[in-house]
Amino acid sequence: MVNFMISYETRNRKKDSSKHVMSIITIVIFVAILALGFLLILVMPKPTVSTYERRELAAFPQFDTATLFNGEYAKAINLYIADTFPFRDTLVTVGVRFNELKGVRFDDVKFYSGIENITLANQDDPPKIDTSPLPSPGNLTNSDDNSTSQENPQNTPKTPSTDDELTAPETPANPDTDRVPAPESPTRTEPLTVDEAEIFGEQVGDVFVVGDTGLDIFGGVPSNGERYAAALNYYREMLPEKVNVYNILVPTHSEFALPQKYRNMARSQENAITHIFSNLSDGIKNVNVYDSLYNHQYEYIYFRTDHHWTALGAYYAYLDFAAAADIKPILKEDLEYGKVDTFLGSYYAWTKDIKMQNNPDYVEYFRPHDNSDYSVLHYLADGTIYPGSLVASNSWDISSGYLIFINGDQPHTHITTPNKNGRKLMVFKESFGNAFVPFAAMHYEEIHVADIRYFPYNAVNFITEKGIDDVIFINNIFAAYTPVRISSIEKLAGR
């Protein structure tokens, strides 16, 4: 009995010893992993942007006594570490794969809620080629102390260097008929009507995914549409009568591609566009692009993984503008065609949807054969000037394909062309206008492009002093119903 007790106690001591050793080994491994992670954080290069999420990452906070004692400094450091952790984009993507059902799923439909409004910008610094200050524009400075002159649209794209090979156009397949209801008639001649009950409060930051296609959910209170119209009416009132003012409102993909059984999630963009039309003064020339996009909705006029339209969609809008401006359009068959094969845009960045990843977009472009004869200069808010392209023929990474068009969003872009007709154009736009500008530019000798979010001058003074002949306001319908965008247009006129 005594021998049994001794043996039993010996076995227990061995077990306890083994457990103790395993505990020590576990602690050592855990500490080693933490130390390795901390070492990687210290020595690895710190990214400044997330390619997949299309946003700037948190910077290391500057020390401040006040934020130290109220806890904000510690929170800022935690955010910096979380944002710049090694392999963050890869880990985020893996996490999304395991958590793909985070939204509400309706058969093959997912609804992503609460996604931030992320600024789309390229991640490369502009080339250091000319740091001379922006030439003084006289009295063009915006009189508003809170003007956009201090705003900088994040980073700017690098100058394109190599061209992709041009390939023959491909005819994209028609989308699923359940996803895009077929039009009842190929011609739309009936007048548009406004149903106030179908315009509701704006919903911001949600993406509705149908199969491999991202869509937005539109809403907009009538008062915002009226305010947008009033802002454009003010320009018409303040500008010389000889200046032609055109208004182009672009519907987004969801207006045509949202499945019928989910139509009650959104309201009519057609009605919202018409509501603005009805509130504009007679001196503004409305360009109705809705009907053309409606009639071509089965073609590749919108991206699936990105919230923008394609060059083909912008081309159909250009044809409508040419008709309104009484100019002879250049057929796309007479333009140089090219294509960038792989593009994953904003919707993919926000959702990491596996079906989008497996079926990426491509980016087509149409440009004049003398594209290199178009001089493009971008003026940044800090005074930097750097050259760009009317239509570049390469993209910088899989997420930046839309930057092909006038190098993306810049505060002020000045384009001079081989056309010696003395005509001058001014375009006020957000990013949807980028794909449109190259087409319109082919009919003018000089073009000024102003991003409504960043342009640093008083727009009315600028138009008058530069001798502008035609002014185009081109914005997607979301921007036209968003107060902060309307406010930008108002401020540029000194209101």
Side-chain angles (χ1 to χ4, degrees), residues 121-127 152-159 378 380 386 403 407 409-411:
N122 192 50
Q123 288 76 44
D124 296 306
D125 291 327
N152 191 327
Q154 310 301 327
N155 296 312
T156 51
K158 62 186 178 184
T159 303
H378 299 302
L380 306 187
Y386 80 97
L403 291 175
N407 307 117
D409 296 326
Q410 316 295 338

Side-chain angles (χ1 to χ4, degrees), residues 275-450:
H275 187 59
I276 290 178
F277 281 3
S278 66
N279 281 276
L280 289 169
S281 70
D282 294 338
I284 295 178
K285 301 180 180 181
N286 286 312
V287 180
N288 175 20
V289 304
Y290 186 99
D291 291 353
S292 293
L293 297 176
Y294 178 97
N295 293 335
H296 293 280
Q297 63 183 272
Y298 289 106
E299 300 175 35
Y300 194 53
I301 61 173
Y302 293 100
F303 297 113
R304 291 175 297 94
T305 71
D306 189 78
H307 67 286
H308 293 104
W309 58 355
T310 66
L312 184 60
Y315 172 77
Y316 289 128
Y318 153 71
L319 295 181
D320 290 324
F321 166 71
D326 195 24
I327 58 179
K328 183 179 180 180
I330 299 176
L331 300 180
K332 67 178 186 295
E333 291 78 11
D334 296 328
L335 297 172
E336 185 179 294
Y337 173 86
K339 188 175 81 168
V340 174
D341 286 321
T342 306
F343 173 48
L344 289 171
S346 57
Y347 288 146
Y348 174 75
W350 297 332
T351 65
K352 306 297 190 301
D353 187 89
I354 188 66
K355 289 189 175 181
M356 293 186 192
Q357 184 185 50
N358 291 338
N359 189 21
D361 281 300
Y362 56 88
V363 183
E364 295 178 302
Y365 58 86
F366 307 89
R367 66 184 183 183
H369 289 281
D370 55 354
N371 178 69
S372 60
D373 292 335
Y374 285 70
S375 170
V376 179
L377 291 177
H378 299 302
Y379 294 79
L380 306 187
D382 62 2
T384 302
I385 307 172
Y386 80 97
S389 300
L390 184 68
V391 181
S393 56
N394 63 335
S395 64
W396 297 272
D397 58 53
I398 194 172
S399 66
S400 61
Y402 195 71
L403 291 175
I404 282 175
F405 310 112
I406 63 171
N407 307 117
D409 296 326
Q410 316 295 338
H412 173 210
T413 297
H414 183 209
I415 304 169
T416 54
T417 79
N419 305 318
K420 301 304 177 184
N421 56 17
R423 301 287 294 173
K424 297 182 180 181
L425 171 68
M426 182 93 190
V427 180
F428 292 96
K429 57 87 189 176
E430 36 72 46
S431 58
F432 264 66
N434 297 353
F436 173 85
V437 166
F439 295 115
M442 295 185 293
H443 299 278
Y444 295 85
E445 182 172 339
E446 189 175 349
I447 303 94
H448 292 274
V449 182

Side-chain angles (χ1 to χ4, degrees), residues 178-191:
D178 179 59
R179 192 165 68 214
V180 183
E184 297 179 359
S185 169
T187 305
R188 294 176 57 87
T189 57
E190 299 178 3

